[in-house]
PDB file of all heavy atoms in Angstrom:
ATOM      1  N   SER A   1       4.330   8.200   9.303  1.00  0.00           N
ATOM      2  CA  SER A   1       3.552   8.759   8.186  1.00  0.00           C
ATOM      3  C   SER A   1       3.229   7.753   7.083  1.00  0.00           C
ATOM      4  O   SER A   1       2.647   8.131   6.067  1.00  0.00           O
ATOM      5  CB  SER A   1       4.226  10.011   7.593  1.00  0.00           C
ATOM      6  OG  SER A   1       5.398   9.706   6.868  1.00  0.00           O
ATOM      7  N   SER A   2       3.563   6.468   7.271  1.00  0.00           N
ATOM      8  CA  SER A   2       3.288   5.502   6.194  1.00  0.00           C
ATOM      9  C   SER A   2       1.790   5.300   5.984  1.00  0.00           C
ATOM     10  O   SER A   2       1.323   5.188   4.843  1.00  0.00           O
ATOM     11  CB  SER A   2       3.983   4.170   6.464  1.00  0.00           C
ATOM     12  OG  SER A   2       3.492   3.556   7.639  1.00  0.00           O
ATOM     13  N   LEU A   3       1.014   5.266   7.063  1.00  0.00           N
ATOM     14  CA  LEU A   3      -0.431   5.077   6.907  1.00  0.00           C
ATOM     15  C   LEU A   3      -1.079   6.330   6.312  1.00  0.00           C
ATOM     16  O   LEU A   3      -2.037   6.229   5.533  1.00  0.00           O
ATOM     17  CB  LEU A   3      -1.065   4.718   8.248  1.00  0.00           C
ATOM     18  CG  LEU A   3      -0.542   3.417   8.896  1.00  0.00           C
ATOM     19  CD1 LEU A   3      -1.342   3.079  10.137  1.00  0.00           C
ATOM     20  CD2 LEU A   3      -0.553   2.250   7.912  1.00  0.00           C
ATOM     21  N   ARG A   4      -0.553   7.495   6.638  1.00  0.00           N
ATOM     22  CA  ARG A   4      -1.052   8.732   6.029  1.00  0.00           C
ATOM     23  C   ARG A   4      -0.771   8.723   4.526  1.00  0.00           C
ATOM     24  O   ARG A   4      -1.592   9.169   3.716  1.00  0.00           O
ATOM     25  CB  ARG A   4      -0.384   9.925   6.713  1.00  0.00           C
ATOM     26  CG  ARG A   4      -0.901  11.274   6.269  1.00  0.00           C
ATOM     27  CD  ARG A   4      -0.613  12.369   7.289  1.00  0.00           C
ATOM     28  NE  ARG A   4       0.801  12.475   7.612  1.00  0.00           N
ATOM     29  CZ  ARG A   4       1.294  12.242   8.841  1.00  0.00           C
ATOM     30  NH1 ARG A   4       0.513  11.854   9.834  1.00  0.00           N
ATOM     31  NH2 ARG A   4       2.587  12.388   9.072  1.00  0.00           N
ATOM     32  N   PHE A   5       0.383   8.199   4.146  1.00  0.00           N
ATOM     33  CA  PHE A   5       0.730   8.079   2.734  1.00  0.00           C
ATOM     34  C   PHE A   5      -0.225   7.119   2.024  1.00  0.00           C
ATOM     35  O   PHE A   5      -0.706   7.402   0.920  1.00  0.00           O
ATOM     36  CB  PHE A   5       2.168   7.585   2.615  1.00  0.00           C
ATOM     37  CG  PHE A   5       2.650   7.351   1.218  1.00  0.00           C
ATOM     38  CD1 PHE A   5       2.887   8.411   0.354  1.00  0.00           C
ATOM     39  CD2 PHE A   5       2.885   6.060   0.762  1.00  0.00           C
ATOM     40  CE1 PHE A   5       3.347   8.202  -0.937  1.00  0.00           C
ATOM     41  CE2 PHE A   5       3.343   5.833  -0.529  1.00  0.00           C
ATOM     42  CZ  PHE A   5       3.568   6.902  -1.380  1.00  0.00           C
ATOM     43  N   LEU A   6      -0.535   5.988   2.653  1.00  0.00           N
ATOM     44  CA  LEU A   6      -1.474   5.034   2.060  1.00  0.00           C
ATOM     45  C   LEU A   6      -2.851   5.666   1.879  1.00  0.00           C
ATOM     46  O   LEU A   6      -3.531   5.423   0.878  1.00  0.00           O
ATOM     47  CB  LEU A   6      -1.574   3.783   2.933  1.00  0.00           C
ATOM     48  CG  LEU A   6      -0.362   2.864   2.954  1.00  0.00           C
ATOM     49  CD1 LEU A   6      -0.570   1.734   3.959  1.00  0.00           C
ATOM     50  CD2 LEU A   6      -0.070   2.289   1.579  1.00  0.00           C
ATOM     51  N   GLU A   7      -3.260   6.452   2.857  1.00  0.00           N
ATOM     52  CA  GLU A   7      -4.554   7.118   2.760  1.00  0.00           C
ATOM     53  C   GLU A   7      -4.571   8.101   1.592  1.00  0.00           C
ATOM     54  O   GLU A   7      -5.554   8.184   0.848  1.00  0.00           O
ATOM     55  CB  GLU A   7      -4.866   7.848   4.069  1.00  0.00           C
ATOM     56  CG  GLU A   7      -6.240   8.485   4.121  1.00  0.00           C
ATOM     57  CD  GLU A   7      -7.369   7.468   4.085  1.00  0.00           C
ATOM     58  OE1 GLU A   7      -7.185   6.331   4.557  1.00  0.00           O
ATOM     59  OE2 GLU A   7      -8.458   7.826   3.575  1.00  0.00           O
ATOM     60  N   ALA A   8      -3.476   8.828   1.403  1.00  0.00           N
ATOM     61  CA  ALA A   8      -3.386   9.761   0.277  1.00  0.00           C
ATOM     62  C   ALA A   8      -3.403   9.013  -1.049  1.00  0.00           C
ATOM     63  O   ALA A   8      -4.041   9.458  -2.018  1.00  0.00           O
ATOM     64  CB  ALA A   8      -2.126  10.608   0.402  1.00  0.00           C
ATOM     65  N   LEU A   9      -2.727   7.884  -1.113  1.00  0.00           N
ATOM     66  CA  LEU A   9      -2.739   7.086  -2.341  1.00  0.00           C
ATOM     67  C   LEU A   9      -4.146   6.590  -2.668  1.00  0.00           C
ATOM     68  O   LEU A   9      -4.548   6.552  -3.828  1.00  0.00           O
ATOM     69  CB  LEU A   9      -1.796   5.883  -2.192  1.00  0.00           C
ATOM     70  CG  LEU A   9      -0.310   6.119  -2.415  1.00  0.00           C
ATOM     71  CD1 LEU A   9       0.473   4.859  -2.082  1.00  0.00           C
ATOM     72  CD2 LEU A   9      -0.024   6.559  -3.856  1.00  0.00           C
ATOM     73  N   ARG A  10      -4.883   6.213  -1.625  1.00  0.00           N
ATOM     74  CA  ARG A  10      -6.234   5.688  -1.858  1.00  0.00           C
ATOM     75  C   ARG A  10      -7.137   6.734  -2.500  1.00  0.00           C
ATOM     76  O   ARG A  10      -8.048   6.392  -3.263  1.00  0.00           O
ATOM     77  CB  ARG A  10      -6.836   5.196  -0.538  1.00  0.00           C
ATOM     78  CG  ARG A  10      -8.198   4.539  -0.713  1.00  0.00           C
ATOM     79  CD  ARG A  10      -8.642   3.804   0.516  1.00  0.00           C
ATOM     80  NE  ARG A  10      -8.850   4.695   1.651  1.00  0.00           N
ATOM     81  CZ  ARG A  10      -9.400   4.311   2.804  1.00  0.00           C
ATOM     82  NH1 ARG A  10      -9.775   3.045   2.964  1.00  0.00           N
ATOM     83  NH2 ARG A  10      -9.547   5.165   3.792  1.00  0.00           N
ATOM     84  N   GLY A  11      -6.874   8.005  -2.211  1.00  0.00           N
ATOM     85  CA  GLY A  11      -7.683   9.068  -2.799  1.00  0.00           C
ATOM     86  C   GLY A  11      -7.146   9.590  -4.114  1.00  0.00           C
ATOM     87  O   GLY A  11      -7.687  10.557  -4.660  1.00  0.00           O
ATOM     88  N   SER A  12      -6.090   8.949  -4.631  1.00  0.00           N
ATOM     89  CA  SER A  12      -5.458   9.419  -5.872  1.00  0.00           C
ATOM     90  C   SER A  12      -5.855   8.534  -7.049  1.00  0.00           C
ATOM     91  O   SER A  12      -6.607   7.572  -6.908  1.00  0.00           O
ATOM     92  CB  SER A  12      -3.937   9.405  -5.708  1.00  0.00           C
ATOM     93  OG  SER A  12      -3.432   8.075  -5.819  1.00  0.00           O
ATOM     94  N   HIS A  13      -5.298   8.844  -8.214  1.00  0.00           N
ATOM     95  CA  HIS A  13      -5.558   8.050  -9.419  1.00  0.00           C
ATOM     96  C   HIS A  13      -4.722   6.773  -9.459  1.00  0.00           C
ATOM     97  O   HIS A  13      -4.932   5.913 -10.315  1.00  0.00           O
ATOM     98  CB  HIS A  13      -5.235   8.883 -10.668  1.00  0.00           C
ATOM     99  CG  HIS A  13      -3.765   9.128 -10.850  1.00  0.00           C
ATOM    100  ND1 HIS A  13      -3.075  10.075 -10.114  1.00  0.00           N
ATOM    101  CD2 HIS A  13      -2.835   8.529 -11.648  1.00  0.00           C
ATOM    102  CE1 HIS A  13      -1.803  10.056 -10.471  1.00  0.00           C
ATOM    103  NE2 HIS A  13      -1.632   9.128 -11.400  1.00  0.00           N
ATOM    104  N   CYS A  14      -3.764   6.632  -8.541  1.00  0.00           N
ATOM    105  CA  CYS A  14      -2.818   5.499  -8.592  1.00  0.00           C
ATOM    106  C   CYS A  14      -3.423   4.225  -7.999  1.00  0.00           C
ATOM    107  O   CYS A  14      -4.181   4.276  -7.035  1.00  0.00           O
ATOM    108  CB  CYS A  14      -1.551   5.841  -7.814  1.00  0.00           C
ATOM    109  SG  CYS A  14      -0.621   7.235  -8.454  1.00  0.00           S
ATOM    110  N   GLU A  15      -3.025   3.106  -8.580  1.00  0.00           N
ATOM    111  CA  GLU A  15      -3.268   1.807  -7.947  1.00  0.00           C
ATOM    112  C   GLU A  15      -2.121   1.525  -6.989  1.00  0.00           C
ATOM    113  O   GLU A  15      -0.954   1.747  -7.324  1.00  0.00           O
ATOM    114  CB  GLU A  15      -3.353   0.682  -8.986  1.00  0.00           C
ATOM    115  CG  GLU A  15      -4.695   0.540  -9.626  1.00  0.00           C
ATOM    116  CD  GLU A  15      -4.908  -0.869 -10.186  1.00  0.00           C
ATOM    117  OE1 GLU A  15      -4.036  -1.749 -10.004  1.00  0.00           O
ATOM    118  OE2 GLU A  15      -5.958  -1.070 -10.811  1.00  0.00           O
ATOM    119  N   SER A  16      -2.440   1.011  -5.807  1.00  0.00           N
ATOM    120  CA  SER A  16      -1.424   0.733  -4.793  1.00  0.00           C
ATOM    121  C   SER A  16      -1.398  -0.766  -4.508  1.00  0.00           C
ATOM    122  O   SER A  16      -2.424  -1.347  -4.147  1.00  0.00           O
ATOM    123  CB  SER A  16      -1.741   1.498  -3.502  1.00  0.00           C
ATOM    124  OG  SER A  16      -1.914   2.866  -3.763  1.00  0.00           O
ATOM    125  N   TRP A  17      -0.221  -1.355  -4.673  1.00  0.00           N
ATOM    126  CA  TRP A  17      -0.051  -2.779  -4.410  1.00  0.00           C
ATOM    127  C   TRP A  17       1.003  -2.972  -3.330  1.00  0.00           C
ATOM    128  O   TRP A  17       2.040  -2.291  -3.335  1.00  0.00           O
ATOM    129  CB  TRP A  17       0.448  -3.525  -5.649  1.00  0.00           C
ATOM    130  CG  TRP A  17      -0.365  -3.396  -6.896  1.00  0.00           C
ATOM    131  CD1 TRP A  17      -1.501  -2.650  -7.096  1.00  0.00           C
ATOM    132  CD2 TRP A  17      -0.085  -4.026  -8.146  1.00  0.00           C
ATOM    133  NE1 TRP A  17      -1.936  -2.777  -8.388  1.00  0.00           N
ATOM    134  CE2 TRP A  17      -1.083  -3.624  -9.056  1.00  0.00           C
ATOM    135  CE3 TRP A  17       0.915  -4.890  -8.582  1.00  0.00           C
ATOM    136  CZ2 TRP A  17      -1.106  -4.062 -10.382  1.00  0.00           C
ATOM    137  CZ3 TRP A  17       0.899  -5.326  -9.898  1.00  0.00           C
ATOM    138  CH2 TRP A  17      -0.109  -4.923 -10.781  1.00  0.00           C
ATOM    139  N   LEU A  18       0.756  -3.891  -2.426  1.00  0.00           N
ATOM    140  CA  LEU A  18       1.802  -4.348  -1.508  1.00  0.00           C
ATOM    141  C   LEU A  18       2.485  -5.536  -2.176  1.00  0.00           C
ATOM    142  O   LEU A  18       1.823  -6.510  -2.560  1.00  0.00           O
ATOM    143  CB  LEU A  18       1.200  -4.776  -0.170  1.00  0.00           C
ATOM    144  CG  LEU A  18       2.221  -5.079   0.931  1.00  0.00           C
ATOM    145  CD1 LEU A  18       2.816  -3.779   1.466  1.00  0.00           C
ATOM    146  CD2 LEU A  18       1.574  -5.853   2.072  1.00  0.00           C
ATOM    147  N   VAL A  19       3.795  -5.447  -2.343  1.00  0.00           N
ATOM    148  CA  VAL A  19       4.570  -6.525  -2.968  1.00  0.00           C
ATOM    149  C   VAL A  19       5.673  -6.877  -1.979  1.00  0.00           C
ATOM    150  O   VAL A  19       6.640  -6.128  -1.810  1.00  0.00           O
ATOM    151  CB  VAL A  19       5.144  -6.091  -4.333  1.00  0.00           C
ATOM    152  CG1 VAL A  19       5.889  -7.245  -4.982  1.00  0.00           C
ATOM    153  CG2 VAL A  19       4.022  -5.598  -5.250  1.00  0.00           C
ATOM    154  N   THR A  20       5.532  -8.010  -1.326  1.00  0.00           N
ATOM    155  CA  THR A  20       6.383  -8.332  -0.184  1.00  0.00           C
ATOM    156  C   THR A  20       7.029  -9.700  -0.315  1.00  0.00           C
ATOM    157  O   THR A  20       6.444 -10.624  -0.892  1.00  0.00           O
ATOM    158  CB  THR A  20       5.564  -8.277   1.126  1.00  0.00           C
ATOM    159  OG1 THR A  20       6.389  -8.669   2.229  1.00  0.00           O
ATOM    160  CG2 THR A  20       4.339  -9.184   1.083  1.00  0.00           C
ATOM    161  N   ASN A  21       8.222  -9.824   0.236  1.00  0.00           N
ATOM    162  CA  ASN A  21       8.878 -11.130   0.357  1.00  0.00           C
ATOM    163  C   ASN A  21       8.372 -11.912   1.566  1.00  0.00           C
ATOM    164  O   ASN A  21       8.773 -13.057   1.764  1.00  0.00           O
ATOM    165  CB  ASN A  21      10.391 -10.942   0.496  1.00  0.00           C
ATOM    166  CG  ASN A  21      11.099 -10.830  -0.843  1.00  0.00           C
ATOM    167  OD1 ASN A  21      10.718 -11.449  -1.828  1.00  0.00           O
ATOM    168  ND2 ASN A  21      12.160 -10.033  -0.885  1.00  0.00           N
ATOM    169  N   ALA A  22       7.534 -11.292   2.385  1.00  0.00           N
ATOM    170  CA  ALA A  22       7.078 -11.958   3.607  1.00  0.00           C
ATOM    171  C   ALA A  22       6.321 -13.242   3.290  1.00  0.00           C
ATOM    172  O   ALA A  22       5.537 -13.308   2.340  1.00  0.00           O
ATOM    173  CB  ALA A  22       6.188 -11.020   4.418  1.00  0.00           C
ATOM    174  N   HIS A  23       6.554 -14.257   4.105  1.00  0.00           N
ATOM    175  CA  HIS A  23       5.794 -15.498   4.027  1.00  0.00           C
ATOM    176  C   HIS A  23       4.358 -15.231   4.461  1.00  0.00           C
ATOM    177  O   HIS A  23       4.102 -14.364   5.302  1.00  0.00           O
ATOM    178  CB  HIS A  23       6.458 -16.538   4.936  1.00  0.00           C
ATOM    179  CG  HIS A  23       5.834 -17.890   4.869  1.00  0.00           C
ATOM    180  ND1 HIS A  23       4.854 -18.292   5.751  1.00  0.00           N
ATOM    181  CD2 HIS A  23       6.047 -18.948   4.051  1.00  0.00           C
ATOM    182  CE1 HIS A  23       4.506 -19.540   5.479  1.00  0.00           C
ATOM    183  NE2 HIS A  23       5.211 -19.949   4.441  1.00  0.00           N
ATOM    184  N   GLN A  24       3.417 -15.981   3.910  1.00  0.00           N
ATOM    185  CA  GLN A  24       2.002 -15.719   4.189  1.00  0.00           C
ATOM    186  C   GLN A  24       1.687 -15.771   5.683  1.00  0.00           C
ATOM    187  O   GLN A  24       0.907 -14.948   6.188  1.00  0.00           O
ATOM    188  CB  GLN A  24       1.112 -16.715   3.431  1.00  0.00           C
ATOM    189  CG  GLN A  24      -0.369 -16.391   3.519  1.00  0.00           C
ATOM    190  CD  GLN A  24      -0.734 -15.081   2.836  1.00  0.00           C
ATOM    191  OE1 GLN A  24      -0.334 -14.837   1.697  1.00  0.00           O
ATOM    192  NE2 GLN A  24      -1.498 -14.232   3.520  1.00  0.00           N
ATOM    193  N   ALA A  25       2.302 -16.695   6.399  1.00  0.00           N
ATOM    194  CA  ALA A  25       2.014 -16.800   7.836  1.00  0.00           C
ATOM    195  C   ALA A  25       2.473 -15.548   8.580  1.00  0.00           C
ATOM    196  O   ALA A  25       1.780 -15.067   9.490  1.00  0.00           O
ATOM    197  CB  ALA A  25       2.695 -18.034   8.418  1.00  0.00           C
ATOM    198  N   GLY A  26       3.625 -15.010   8.194  1.00  0.00           N
ATOM    199  CA  GLY A  26       4.093 -13.775   8.805  1.00  0.00           C
ATOM    200  C   GLY A  26       3.254 -12.585   8.381  1.00  0.00           C
ATOM    201  O   GLY A  26       2.969 -11.685   9.190  1.00  0.00           O
TER     202      GLY A  26
END
C-alpha cells in the first residue's frame, strides 16, 4: 500500500519529500 499512500498524498494539500540515506547510485 505504499504506492497507494503516495498517490493519496499527491492529491492532498501536503508536500511529499523522499529523504533517504541511500547513495545516489543505489
Side-chain angles (χ1 to χ4, degrees):
S1 71
S2 63
L3 300 186
R4 185 159 56 243
F5 177 70
L6 289 175
E7 185 65 29
L9 279 174
R10 184 168 64 171
S12 77
H13 70 282
C14 298
E15 277 203 4
S16 307
W17 304 2
L18 188 74
V19 182
T20 177
N21 274 326
H23 184 266
Q24 188 65 48

